Amino acid sequence: MNNKYFCYTYAMIQIQYDNVFAHNINNNSLTEKKLTLSVLRLDELHPIISGNKWFKLKYYLEDAKQNNKDTIATFGGAYSNHIVASAYACKLNNLKSIGIIRGERSKNISATLLQAEECGMQLIFFSRNEFNNKSIIKEKFIENNWYWINEGGYGKLGAKGAAEIFEWIDESYTHIICACGTGTMMAGLIKAAKPNQTIIGISVLKGYNHSNEIKNLLMEEEQEKKFILFNEYHFGGYAKHPEALVDFMKNVWQDYQLPTDIVYTSKLMFASIDLIEKNYFPTNSKILVIHSGGLQGNRSLPVDTLSF
Ligand SMILES: *Cc1c(COP(=O)(O)O)cnc(C)c1O
């Protein structure tokens, strides 16, 4: 099943430091350093399974099939990219899907959950308290013989899939920057990185250190590889999007025609630009930002907040 679903177009947009960042940043040191910044547009992969989610899911689905499971069950919130991607990926793979959703079912469920239902996913709602105890929930459905995928696709098979993002990343990139939710994508990138490449993760969670979660997904020899986490770009916490962030997203769209989402990629772009401004990168660094998708989550904003 590997190549069949890779036929979707992907696009890589180049943002040249010369004509773009000089416009935004009042600082000539970047030109002098000859930094280049590119964005890997994984958001263009597919309109529903966008970004990193497909990569993280593929080996779980393969594993489910190999174990003769016909139903996948996983967890997420009302705007979860993982939920909608799982629903669609299961549909493509002729698997049934169950979404365990945090919170009560409201009369008007989110566009994300509606889309998941349209893909055939059965949604089961649990109160926030109950949702936090995943093992009790799994216990409830033990008879059903479902194949469980962790919330956000966290796990070794997820990281194995995410490592394949490197199909689009050549050795010339010195720094690869990604957003970090569960750390699974980052672990995959660390696995695949060459010795000359540094993987940088931008955490979207407040006051959280992903190091151990990431290390748990790496083999012993991979744990020696260099990776760096930044924890100060969460803008108040997971899915928090103060006006300053939304304004930043509008600017990024206006200046680079680059759409970003409120949960992950806007914070990622903000961090990348901020690190450049703060002279974090050595001269001649070639920086690649992984646009991991997630644009569907912007549907939680009031209509017309964004023009993309
Ligand atoms: C899920 C998601 C992430 C986080 O990936 P992890 O592997 O959980 O760290 C980053 N960006 C987007 C757009 C996502 O949907």
Side-chain angles (χ1 to χ4, degrees):
M1 65 177 245
N2 284 359
N3 291 326
K4 201 162 133 199
Y5 302 118
F6 267 110
C7 60
Y8 300 111
T9 53
Y10 66 93
M12 193 151 166
I13 72 151
Q14 296 277 335
I15 298 179
Q16 291 297 339
Y17 162 69
D18 294 355
N19 51 15
V20 176
F21 284 114
H23 169 92
N24 246 357
I25 299 160
N26 302 320
N27 173 347
N28 288 327
S29 69
L30 291 173
T31 328
E32 286 154 21
K33 289 180 173 200
K34 298 191 180 78
L35 294 179
T36 70
L37 175 64
S38 309
V39 177
L40 181 64
R41 293 287 305 273
L42 294 182
D43 59 310
E44 293 279 330
L45 197 71
H46 182 271
I48 299 176
I49 320 181
S50 96
N52 67 12
K53 294 298 182 280
W54 170 247
F55 296 90
K56 294 205 290 181
L57 283 170
K58 60 183 278 203
Y59 287 109
Y60 290 120
L61 301 192
E62 209 170 81
D63 192 41
K65 286 191 163 179
Q66 271 161 12
N67 287 291
N68 295 316
K69 304 270 187 175
D70 65 359
T71 306
I72 302 284
T74 191
F75 303 89
Y79 300 101
S80 166
N81 299 324
H82 169 70
I83 284 291
V84 73
S86 298
Y88 192 80
C90 285
K91 183 178 155 179
L92 281 182
N93 281 281
N94 296 317
L95 290 160
K96 284 181 251 174
S97 64
I98 310 287
I100 305 290
I101 310 300
R102 183 182 55 234
E104 314 295 335
R105 186 180 183 113
S106 59
K107 234 184 263 154
N108 299 312
I109 63 170
S110 68
T112 305
L113 295 183
L114 270 180
Q115 193 164 37
E117 277 190 336
E118 275 163 23
C119 294
M121 182 176 261
Q122 184 195 340
L123 304 180
I124 305 174
F125 291 77
F126 279 90
S127 73
R128 276 156 201 273
N129 270 344
E130 289 175 302
F131 184 88
N132 285 338
N133 200 330
K134 309 280 191 304
S135 47
I136 291 183
I137 295 178
K138 286 185 185 180
E139 199 60 40
K140 274 194 176 137
F141 298 109
I142 199 148
E143 308 272 286
N144 300 53
N145 200 27
W146 294 337
Y147 183 91
W148 289 95
I149 300 177
N150 287 333
E151 188 173 12
Y154 177 79
K156 287 192 175 160
L157 290 179
K160 181 183 174 189
E164 293 179 7
I165 294 172
F166 253 76
E167 285 183 28
W168 292 289
I169 305 175
D170 68 39
E171 272 182 60
S172 70
Y173 290 103
T174 56
H175 299 79
I176 293 122
I177 316 182
C178 68
C180 209
T182 66
T184 307
M185 166 172 56
M186 184 166 180
L189 296 174
I190 295 166
K191 279 174 169 297
K194 300 287 185 306
N196 67 309
Q197 298 177 311
T198 304
I199 307 295
I200 299 173
I202 307 301
S203 177
V204 300
L205 307 179
K206 187 176 176 177
Y208 194 80
N209 188 331
H210 300 267
S211 300
N212 288 334
E213 270 85 355
I214 290 171
K215 282 192 178 150
N216 287 339
L217 302 182
L218 300 175
M219 294 189 292
E220 211 171 310
E221 64 272 21
E222 291 166 341
Q223 296 184 4
E224 307 297 312
K225 291 173 118 177
K226 196 169 69 175
F227 68 89
I228 297 165
L229 281 162
F230 284 94
N231 297 321
E232 58 269 31
Y233 293 106
H234 53 73
F235 279 82
Y238 184 76
K240 295 276 190 291
H241 47 280
E243 208 176 317
L245 185 69
V246 176
D247 286 346
F248 172 78
M249 291 166 73
K250 289 177 184 168
N251 288 338
V252 167
W253 172 250
Q254 207 167 42
D255 294 347
Y256 318 131
Q257 284 70 58
L258 182 69
T260 53
D261 78 291
I262 51 173
V263 183
Y264 298 100
T265 53
S266 54
K267 297 173 186 184
L268 169 69
M269 275 309 288
F270 184 93
S272 304
I273 291 172
D274 191 57
L275 290 171
I276 290 168
E277 279 190 59
K278 289 180 172 156
N279 296 325
Y280 175 80
F281 299 99
T283 312
N284 292 323
S285 294
K286 205 173 155 193
I287 306 158
L288 183 69
V289 174
I290 309 293
H291 192 315
S292 39
L295 298 174
Q296 70 86 25
N298 289 344
R299 292 183 291 190
S300 69
L301 293 171
V303 230
D304 295 336
T305 306
L306 301 167
S307 54
F308 54 85

